[in-house]
Amino acid sequence: MRVGDPAADTLFVAPWYTDVIYELSKRDLSIVARHPSRAQRYLGYWEPMSVIRDGTYLYLGNDVEQAVVAYNLETGQPDAVLNLYAQGLVQFGGPVWNLVQSSKTRHLYFTSGPGENLYEVAVPSLDILKHRRFRDITGTALTLDEDRGVLY
């Protein structure tokens, strides 16, 4: 089994304030691999809240300094960082939360805030395709019904 293999029976954990992303066995939670996150080069606060795997990419949603990191498992580097706070789209403090991904378009959807709260982004570039302002509602859940084309 190759580390970062999409067919691998693993999951990923990214502890706050560390420069490592752990790949764990789903069977017994043993450490299969350690990946250097290198995210702290781009963010003042590294507090990952959500992780989604898409092939050789991990998409990590960050707390406090709201950002999404597109981490390439093959190169061990972030390929893109979408920093919502630095772009003035949100106020400091809320998380990028509830990452969900379309199996059809591969686009990511997530909530954040306060400020602009609902996002659709392209991957792996993390270009914002759409966003919507709901003020201070960061959302507690998000799900995508692709058969109906509805985001809840």
Side-chain angles (χ1 to χ4, degrees):
M1 174 176 64
R2 181 177 63 84
V3 172
D5 185 337
D9 196 19
T10 59
L11 58 91
F12 291 85
V13 177
W16 286 15
Y17 307 113
T18 64
D19 200 26
V20 66
I21 300 168
Y22 294 99
E23 186 170 0
L24 306 178
S25 165
K26 287 182 183 177
R27 185 178 51 78
D28 62 4
L29 299 181
S30 62
I31 297 172
V32 174
R34 290 174 177 84
H35 305 275
S37 74
R38 298 185 171 93
Q40 291 175 318
R41 295 179 184 175
Y42 306 96
L43 300 169
Y45 294 90
W46 177 235
E47 297 181 353
M49 297 290 288
S50 300
V51 180
I52 285 185
R53 181 187 197 160
D54 182 21
T56 60
Y57 278 92
L58 295 180
Y59 298 100
L60 299 106
N62 197 54
D63 190 14
V64 181
E65 185 178 353
Q66 301 94 317
V68 179
V69 176
Y71 181 83
N72 187 323
L73 288 166
E74 290 182 340
T75 65
Q77 299 281 342
D79 279 358
V81 176
L82 171 60
N83 190 322
L84 303 173
Y85 175 71
Q87 291 186 25
L89 294 168
V90 294
Q91 297 170 13
F92 196 71
V96 166
W97 192 239
N98 305 310
L99 287 172
V100 295
Q101 186 174 36
S102 168
S103 62
K104 295 178 182 178
T105 65
R106 311 311 309 155
H107 295 167
L108 290 177
Y109 300 88
F110 58 87
T111 59
S112 192
E116 298 295 320
N117 303 106
L118 182 61
Y119 291 86
E120 177 184 22
V121 300
V123 297
S125 66
L126 300 182
D127 293 331
I128 297 173
L129 302 173
K130 299 175 190 170
H131 58 91
R132 177 73 185 204
R133 181 179 185 84
F134 294 107
R135 299 191 186 158
D136 195 23
I137 300 169
T138 59
T140 56
L142 193 65
T143 190
L144 177 62
D145 182 340
E146 293 191 275
D147 292 334
R148 293 188 175 115
V150 178
L151 187 65
Y152 298 98

